[in-house]
């Protein structure tokens, strides 16, 4: 085994790409099983109350219906502490759309039709589904910051900005709907699941069912997107597993419809964020206040910590960051790409643009002037912080120097044209426990095994490159196996931690293998297998670790209709070492496209009268399409950060979305002179103001 670096950073094509385009890559509902029973959920039609009658007679009389599972006959799990997963165990209803039954039939069409025949009557209770920052029952969330004297500093500041920004409830809309195939046999459970972590699912199920991990086998070699919604287990997974117990040994296939995904699989909680900034006459911040009020669920809490990025972004001696939540009778929120950081950076970076204007400074110069020397949150030095380099390189490439700073100064026929900038950040996270096994074979090939998940991000390829680099061999000598709990335990894909955790374990295993085979000695006939683990990071307590970026946007606003178009986006990032230039660019492009979608389109319309999202399909919940994306470009600066992990990687899945919406909002203001502080930037919010 050579020690030379050969492939890390190269723009290799996806090794599973041909299987995907030819239909050979199987997803959760596509794995062949013997005589499957197809499931369709029955969902609550009230937001709060209890079921008084649930009559499945008509459904059971339908030809092809095998069973109807409700709280009256469902198997009882060993643990119901997680209220979201306590499915079919009680007549109580906690939100509209909650699974209250499962119809099992010989075809998905029969199951869906029969679900409509289940008669349900309720004792309805008064519900609460309206988010209001002025409510008197908001609950305080810990992890707040209060340093110095914010109120006094604001009163004494030469320049003050005080505004409220809102982000609506948003949904993931992954290409592959959530799906589960579950089968019991002799007390053992096999699950094909669309998940971001096979071991996460296994661990959730073993706790729920009270059985040993060796009796639960979870498989997910390919996942069609997740963005956080396929991280934690959700109610449909448990419903499929309990239903499969009723018809064992026949397997059960459950695929959520697009409309069912909205209430069941989580969402980004809506937030109301008040930003207060104070600065001295030179434009240096003296005070930062960020107060977040977020929607939460009464059934199970998941706070959207939108103030997190404000803790580290800019220096000021007086800071207060608070979080409060409103527990409502709505579905449970969950992770959505850059939870906390994404909505928080929208509010912060829009406020920074407004403050720069109030101080009479260029938005880039204002940010650079307020760069912290150390992390304001921990007081630690940064392992690397190259935000200024991103801002300056992006400004050069975007043509920022030619920008007229006056809002509304540029017009092209019926279009007002403006440009905007925003910074972005995301922490370098890690999850302990990941292991990887490498088997060296006499023929010169290496088998690499770990339970990682590829949710469409390119993990199949990136991990192969990491292994080849660590072993000093060619990519075609690596045989990778992932997405199966029969493989060594691995954390899931979430928090931009996948490559950090999985790759570190592979590198550790490769180092152990080198010790077993010193000087590249011959591999014995039986082969050699070693297991490595993600090591503890000795630098974690000595440095603050973050990725940074700068996003630039050009916006065009129609003076007659208020329509907003974004013909040009540029993102420049400081993300440590890049493993695969092609898949990394794809991730950053995808994140920025989602940020544009957030800025222009996405808004779940919650009807507080009934406690549900009205526009819960892709005909009405709008996301960016290819026609919305004009010239979008991403790049990164060279950054060597040996402190973050053995590979020097920082994670790239989420930073791309963090600043894009703010950059577009700032560009719209520059084009029109009108400031919109409530996403999305729909025409009705601009008409009459431009």
């Amino acid at each position: 085994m050579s020690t030379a670096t050969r492939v890390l950073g190269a723009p290799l094509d996806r090794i599973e790409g041909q299987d995907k385009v030819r239909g050979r890559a199987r997803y959760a509902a596509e794995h062949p099983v013997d005589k499957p029973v197809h499931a369709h959920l029955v969902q609550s039609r009230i937001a709060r109350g209890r079921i008084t009658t649930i009559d499945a007679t008509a459904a059971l009389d339908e030809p092809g219906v095998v069973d109807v599972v409700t709280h009256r006959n469902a198997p009882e799990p060993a643990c119901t502490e997680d209220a979201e997963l306590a499915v079919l165990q009680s007549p109580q209803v906690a939100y509209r759309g909650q699974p209250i039954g499962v119809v099992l039939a010989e075809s998905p069409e029969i199951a869906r039709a029969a679900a409509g025949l289940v008669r349900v009557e309720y004792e309805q209770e008064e519900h609460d589904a309206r988010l209001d920052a002025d409510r008197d029952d908001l609950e305080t969330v810990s992890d707040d910051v209060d340093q110095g004297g914010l109120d006094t500093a604001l009163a004494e500041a030469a320049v003050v900005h005080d505004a409220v920004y809102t982000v609506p409830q948003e949904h993931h809309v992954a290409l592959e709907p959530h799906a589960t195939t579950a089968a019991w046999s002799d007390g053992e459970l096999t699950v094909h699941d669309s998940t971001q972590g096979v071991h996460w699912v296994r661990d959730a199920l073993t706790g729920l069912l009270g059985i040993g991990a060796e009796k639960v086998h979870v498989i997910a070699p390919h996942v069609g997107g997740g963005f956080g919604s396929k991280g934690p287990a959700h109610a449909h997974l448990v419903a499929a597993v309990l239903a499969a117990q009723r018809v064992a040994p026949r397997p059960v296939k459950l695929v959520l419809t697009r409309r069912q995904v909205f209430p069941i699989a989580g969402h980004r909680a809506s937030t109301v964020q008040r930003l207060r900034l104070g600065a001295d006459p030179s434009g240096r911040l003296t005070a930062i206040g960020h107060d977040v009020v977020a929607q939460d669920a009464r059934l199970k809490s998941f706070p959207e910590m939108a103030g997190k990025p404000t803790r580290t972004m800019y220096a000021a001696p007086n800071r207060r960051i608070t979080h409060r939540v409103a527990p409502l009778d709505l579905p449970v929120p969950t992770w959505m790409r850059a939870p906390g950081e994404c909505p928080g950076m929208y509010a912060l970076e829009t406020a920074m643009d407004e403050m720069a204007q109030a101080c009479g400074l260029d938005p880039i110069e204002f940010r650079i002037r307020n760069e912290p020397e150390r992390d304001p949150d921990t007081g630690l030095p940064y392992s690397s912080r190259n935000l200024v380099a991103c801002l300056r390189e992006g400004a050069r490439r975007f043509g920022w120097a030619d920008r007229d700073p006056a809002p509304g100064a540029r017009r092209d026929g019926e279009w007002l044209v403006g440009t905007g900038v925003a910074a972005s950040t995301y922490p370098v996270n890690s999850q302990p426990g990941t292991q990887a096994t490498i088997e060296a074979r006499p023929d010169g090939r290496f088998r690499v095994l770990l339970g990682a998940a590829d949710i469409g991000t390119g993990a199949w390829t990136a991990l192969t490159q990491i292994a080849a680099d660590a072993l000093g061999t060619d990519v075609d000598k690596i045989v990778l196996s992932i997405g199966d709990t029969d493989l060594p335990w691995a954390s899931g894909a979430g928090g931009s931690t996948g490559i950090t955790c999985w790759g570190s374990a592979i590198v550790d295993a490769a180092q152990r293998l080198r010790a077993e085979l010193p000087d590249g000695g011959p591999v014995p006939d039986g082969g050699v297998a070693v297991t490595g683990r993600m090591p503890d990071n000795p630098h974690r307590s000595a440095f603050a670790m973050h990725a940074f970026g700068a996003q630039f946007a050009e916006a065009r606003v129609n003076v007659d209709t208020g329509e907003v178009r974004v013909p040009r986006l540029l993102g420049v990032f400081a993300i440590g070492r890049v493993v695969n230039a092609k898949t990394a660019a794809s991730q950053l492009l995808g994140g920025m496209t989602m940020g544009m979608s957030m800025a222009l389109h996405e808004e779940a319309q919650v009807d507080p009268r009934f406690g549900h999202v009205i526009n819960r399909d892709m005909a009405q919940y709008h996301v960016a399409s290819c026609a919305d994306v004009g010239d979008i470009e991403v790049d990164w600066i060279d950054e060597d950060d040996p402190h973050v992990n053995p590979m020097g990687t920082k994670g790239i899945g989420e930073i791309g979305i963090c600043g894009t919406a703010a950059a577009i909002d700032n560009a719209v203001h520059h084009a029109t002179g009108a400031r919109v502080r409530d996403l999305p930037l729909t025409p009705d919010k601009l008409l009459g103001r431009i």
Side-chain angles (χ1 to χ4, degrees):
M1 293 181 291
S2 164
T3 60
T5 296
R6 303 184 179 194
V7 294
L8 215 59
L12 268 63
D13 292 339
R14 294 172 183 259
I15 62 175
E16 84 286 10
Q18 290 197 23
D19 285 345
K20 286 183 174 178
V21 299
R22 294 178 179 179
R24 293 197 296 249
R26 291 196 173 113
Y27 294 81
E30 298 178 325
H31 291 273
V33 290
D34 189 34
K35 296 181 180 179
V37 179
H38 297 273
H40 194 88
L41 295 178
V42 180
Q43 296 171 271
S44 165
R45 296 184 63 82
I46 66 169
R48 187 178 182 184
R50 64 185 303 274
I51 299 167
T52 57
T53 300
I54 185 161
D55 185 355
T57 303
L60 290 167
D61 287 342
E62 283 292 294
V65 172
V66 176
D67 196 6
V68 177
V69 188
T70 71
H71 69 275
R72 299 184 183 279
N73 60 3
E76 183 177 350
C79 177
T80 56
E81 290 182 2
D82 188 327
E84 184 185 4
L85 303 185
V87 181
L88 308 177
Q89 300 303 304
S90 165
Q92 293 300 125
V93 173
Y95 61 89
R96 187 175 177 121
Q98 180 178 345
I100 59 173
V102 186
V103 176
L104 303 172
E106 299 295 346
S107 75
E109 295 80 10
I110 294 172
R112 185 168 187 168
L117 300 176
V118 177
R119 185 174 64 87
V120 186
E121 296 179 0
Y122 307 92
E123 181 181 292
Q124 193 165 352
E125 300 174 14
E126 184 176 352
H127 69 269
D128 184 359
R130 190 186 301 274
L131 177 63
D132 186 341
D134 296 324
R135 297 170 62 109
D136 59 8
D137 62 345
L138 296 174
E139 298 179 0
T140 299
V141 180
S142 61
D143 199 34
D144 286 347
V145 172
D146 193 353
Q147 297 174 343
L150 177 67
D151 296 331
T152 300
L154 288 170
E156 296 174 350
V159 184
V160 175
H161 172 70
D162 186 344
V164 174
Y165 305 85
T166 67
V167 178
Q169 184 184 127
E170 297 169 343
H171 289 258
H172 308 74
V173 197
L175 185 61
E176 178 199 16
H178 293 64
T180 299
T181 302
W184 288 88
S185 178
D186 297 326
E188 297 188 3
L189 173 64
T190 300
V191 176
H192 297 274
D193 194 51
S194 185
T195 177
Q196 293 174 222
V198 289
H199 286 100
W200 284 349
V201 169
R202 187 194 69 181
D203 295 348
L205 289 175
T206 55
L208 182 85
L209 301 170
I211 60 178
E214 72 281 358
K215 294 184 178 296
V216 180
H217 183 198
V218 182
I219 307 162
H222 303 286
V223 179
F227 313 114
S229 68
K230 296 177 183 176
H234 296 298
H236 68 281
L237 166 68
V238 180
V241 168
L242 297 182
Q245 283 186 279
R246 295 270 300 175
V247 295
R250 294 186 69 181
V252 165
K253 288 196 174 191
L254 173 61
V255 181
L256 295 186
T257 66
R258 185 63 66 185
R259 291 172 70 87
Q260 288 176 332
V261 168
F262 275 72
I264 293 173
H267 56 270
R268 191 193 305 282
S270 55
T271 54
V272 180
Q273 304 177 56
R274 183 185 182 191
L275 263 293
R276 289 178 289 171
L277 303 176
D280 64 20
S282 71
R284 296 190 183 277
L285 291 171
T286 58
I288 300 174
H290 192 169
D291 299 305
V292 179
V293 174
Q295 163 215 334
D296 205 356
R298 198 184 308 275
L299 178 67
K300 174 183 171 181
S301 180
F302 184 91
E304 185 75 23
M305 304 295 287
K308 288 192 299 181
T310 305
R311 298 172 66 121
T312 195
M313 275 303 294
Y314 302 110
N318 305 285
R319 305 189 307 151
R320 184 187 302 155
I321 303 167
T322 68
H323 295 86
R324 293 176 296 163
V325 297
L328 302 175
D329 300 307
L330 290 172
V332 179
T334 194
W335 307 331
M336 184 170 172
R337 202 169 197 169
E341 279 80 8
C342 175
M345 287 300 289
Y346 159 70
L348 175 62
E349 288 301 299
T350 308
M352 287 291 288
D353 196 74
E354 296 195 64
M355 191 62 170
Q357 187 176 14
C359 291
L361 292 171
D362 175 82
I364 293 177
E365 172 58 30
F366 180 62
R367 287 170 171 82
I368 293 174
R369 191 165 297 191
N370 287 286
E371 268 286 283
E373 294 182 1
R374 302 172 77 88
D375 178 20
D377 187 35
T378 63
L380 297 174
Y382 289 97
S383 60
S384 57
R385 178 173 169 127
N386 286 302
L387 173 58
V388 172
C390 293
L391 287 165
R392 287 183 169 150
E393 174 63 13
R396 183 189 68 79
R397 295 174 60 163
F398 199 72
W400 191 263
D402 299 327
R403 178 184 192 255
D404 187 330
R410 184 177 166 199
R411 181 164 178 163
D412 181 10
E414 62 186 15
W415 297 92
L416 299 173
V417 183
T419 53
V421 64
S424 55
T425 188
Y426 198 79
V428 178
N429 296 322
S430 64
Q431 301 176 52
T434 293
Q435 302 179 32
T437 296
I438 299 179
E439 299 175 355
R441 299 175 175 176
D443 63 0
R445 294 163 67 92
F446 301 88
R447 189 179 179 204
V448 180
L449 308 97
L450 74 164
D454 191 328
I455 58 175
T457 52
W460 277 103
T461 309
L463 294 179
T464 299
Q465 289 177 256
I466 290 171
D469 180 80
L471 293 166
T473 190
D474 297 323
V475 169
D476 59 7
K477 300 294 186 182
I478 303 297
V479 180
L480 180 69
S481 296
I482 63 173
D484 193 315
T485 54
D486 281 352
L487 302 172
W489 195 95
S491 60
S496 295
T497 64
I499 291 300
T500 293
C501 298
W502 308 329
S504 295
I506 289 173
V507 170
D508 184 61
Q511 292 171 345
R512 294 171 185 267
L513 185 60
R514 290 181 186 280
E516 290 281 331
L517 300 170
D519 302 321
V523 178
D525 291 343
V528 176
V530 298
T531 297
R533 292 168 176 80
M534 179 187 176
D536 293 334
N537 187 341
H539 307 291
R540 178 63 67 176
S541 61
F543 295 97
M545 302 177 183
H546 297 261
F548 293 93
Q551 279 107 320
F552 295 77
E554 178 183 315
R556 298 169 69 88
V557 183
N558 190 287
V559 294
D560 297 318
T561 67
E563 177 190 356
V564 179
R565 295 184 180 178
V566 180
R568 191 161 61 111
L569 284 174
L570 167 68
V572 179
F573 301 93
I575 48 178
R577 193 177 192 184
V578 170
V579 174
N580 182 304
K582 183 174 291 186
T583 57
S586 177
Q587 280 298 289
L588 296 170
L589 286 168
M592 291 185 67
T593 303
M594 285 186 74
M596 183 181 67
S597 189
M598 172 185 180
L600 301 184
H601 301 303
E602 295 193 44
E603 181 177 17
Q605 298 280 354
V606 178
D607 188 336
R609 299 171 303 166
F610 304 105
H612 69 158
V613 172
I614 302 169
N615 54 330
R616 54 190 186 277
D617 57 42
M618 292 188 70
Q620 301 174 84
Y621 183 87
H622 296 161
V623 297
S625 67
C626 291
D628 292 302
V629 181
D631 180 6
I632 178 170
E633 181 183 0
V634 298
D635 206 347
W636 47 86
I637 65 171
D638 290 333
E639 184 175 67
D640 180 19
D641 191 336
H643 305 295
V644 289
N645 57 63
M647 300 164 296
T649 58
K650 284 189 172 182
I652 56 176
E654 284 154 298
I655 192 170
I657 196 175
C658 287
T660 307
I664 293 171
D665 198 339
N666 296 337
V668 167
H669 173 263
H670 183 239
T672 65
R675 174 64 68 178
V676 178
R677 301 187 180 104
D678 305 296
L679 292 182
L681 304 171
T682 47
D684 58 295
K685 296 171 185 173
L686 289 163
L687 280 176
R689 302 177 61 193
I690 57 178

